[in-house]
Amino acid sequence: MTTYLPAPGRYDAMQYRRAGRSGLQLPAVSFGMWQNFGGDRPLETQRATIRRAFDLGITHFDLANNYGPPYGSAEENFGRLLATDLRGHRDELVVSTKAGYDMWPGPYGDWGSRKYLLASLDQSLARMGLDYVDIFYSHRFDPATPLEETLGALDSAVRQGKALYAGISSYSPQRTREAAGIMRQLGTPVLLHQPSYSMLNRWIEDGLLDVLGAEGIGCIVFSPLAQGMLTDRYLEGVPAGSRASRHGSLGSELMSEQNLAKVRALNQIAARRGQTLAQMALAWTLRDPRVTSTLVGASSVAQLESNLAALDRPLFDDAELAEIDRYATEGNVNLWASSSHA
């Protein structure tokens, strides 16, 4: 392993946006580690991608307790890179993690109880070798646990110094408004909401963005490429060996001919803009100033660099937006709807 020296000009080109009414700024494109960073992927590929991300001004790395596979392995691998490649640069980084989905057997390893959230955070810190994370999220709304209990755990994490900020993910507009009020009373505001959002999954436009704007909460969107559908990989159908050909987050049932027709039409618009479909899709999620950042994953340096080129063409004229709206319609790809509509 060669010694890593970050690029001196790493902050020159990246755009940074303020998270709501907070003092924290995030890169317009943040790095998500949901896919490609588990124990089933080579660490050297992960190392090269994260190094390049930091060189290009990406300072925010987003994880969760059960990212892998296996669960916890993404945090473990990121912890190894924090201890080696990124050693000495912790104060230049925003590291986030979450708890809310199944992590270990039994009643205390899932959902939103105080016991689960705080135990999970301690485990995440141990896996990453950190004293604190910058942002700790409730990963989903728990209908069986009082919201005051779930959010009280986030408040405790901040007061204990184990997190600097609190966030929520996939909460509906109503639950987000309730959460903001509870956290305001506790004295620990909600910094960020992390919802799914893409051209085929526009649910946040139906009220959530208005709530976030009114409450001063930042928005960082995940799955902006609709689990990979909004790329050029599926223009001719589902290739063998692709993510859509396997059971997982992008099942073949989402790849309907109706959705593929939308993707092909959007690809033509992107080509006229001089962008790939993925680049246009990423830039499109950032068109609203209430969106602080968009999360991208990458399986290689080349893919990361291609995605970041979305920032080269960030603006859309009214005619482009109107044409996009003809095809950027609900594709039933919101895998998190049970939480985001609760």
Side-chain angles (χ1 to χ4, degrees), residues 62-291:
D62 180 74
L63 301 106
N65 56 357
N66 62 356
Y67 287 178
Y71 287 176
S73 59
E75 289 181 331
E76 290 173 352
N77 287 336
F78 188 62
R80 293 186 180 99
L81 300 179
L82 281 171
T84 53
D85 300 60
L86 297 174
R87 186 176 183 180
H89 299 281
R90 175 65 180 94
D91 293 336
E92 296 180 60
L93 304 176
V94 173
V95 179
S96 60
T97 196
K98 317 174 196 74
Y101 287 94
D102 65 299
M103 183 61 192
W104 62 82
Y108 316 124
D110 202 352
W111 292 102
S113 71
R114 179 181 180 87
K115 180 172 178 61
Y116 171 46
L117 294 183
L118 294 180
S120 178
L121 177 56
D122 284 343
Q123 292 182 18
S124 292
L125 293 174
R127 280 190 289 269
M128 291 187 282
L130 292 175
D131 296 322
Y132 69 93
V133 292
D134 296 273
I135 309 164
F136 182 48
Y137 288 91
S138 166
H139 208 165
R140 62 171 165 172
F141 173 72
D142 180 357
T145 297
L147 195 52
E148 291 82 358
E149 178 179 342
T150 298
L151 300 174
L154 299 184
D155 174 68
S156 293
V158 172
R159 294 184 183 279
Q160 293 169 7
K162 296 178 181 179
L164 300 186
Y165 299 95
I168 56 177
S169 179
S170 298
Y171 277 48
S172 70
Q174 176 186 345
R175 299 305 183 187
T176 298
R177 188 180 294 109
E178 293 173 3
I182 293 169
M183 293 297 277
R184 189 161 45 244
Q185 291 179 346
L186 292 172
T188 299
V190 179
L191 172 79
L192 283 171
H193 187 298
Q194 187 176 134
S196 61
Y197 183 53
S198 73
M199 288 177 166
L200 300 178
N201 176 23
R202 300 179 63 166
W203 74 275
I204 70 172
E205 297 172 21
D206 188 20
L208 180 61
L209 283 173
D210 291 336
V211 172
L212 298 181
E215 296 289 349
I217 298 172
C219 180
I220 178 169
V221 302
F222 74 91
S223 201
L225 302 181
Q227 294 90 260
M229 288 180 64
L230 292 168
T231 68
D232 60 9
R233 190 164 197 190
Y234 301 105
L235 295 175
E236 304 303 326
V238 180
S242 66
R243 190 196 303 184
S245 69
R246 305 186 299 269
H247 178 72
S249 63
L250 182 55
S252 58
E253 67 276 6
L254 302 181
M255 306 296 292
S256 66
E257 184 53 41
Q258 184 180 23
N259 278 345
L260 290 174
K262 296 175 187 179
V263 169
R264 294 185 190 109
L266 291 167
N267 183 65
Q268 292 178 0
I269 301 172
R272 293 199 299 270
R273 282 173 51 85
Q275 291 179 304
T276 67
L277 174 56
Q279 289 164 355
M280 183 179 79
L282 292 171
W284 181 88
T285 64
L286 293 167
R287 75 197 187 285
D288 191 310
R290 292 171 294 186
V291 175

Side-chain angles (χ1 to χ4, degrees), residues 49-67:
T49 309
I50 288 176
R51 284 180 173 185
R52 186 59 178 150
F54 191 48
D55 282 345
L56 293 171
I58 293 180
T59 54
H60 177 31
F61 295 87
D62 180 74
L63 301 106
N65 56 357
N66 62 356
Y67 287 178

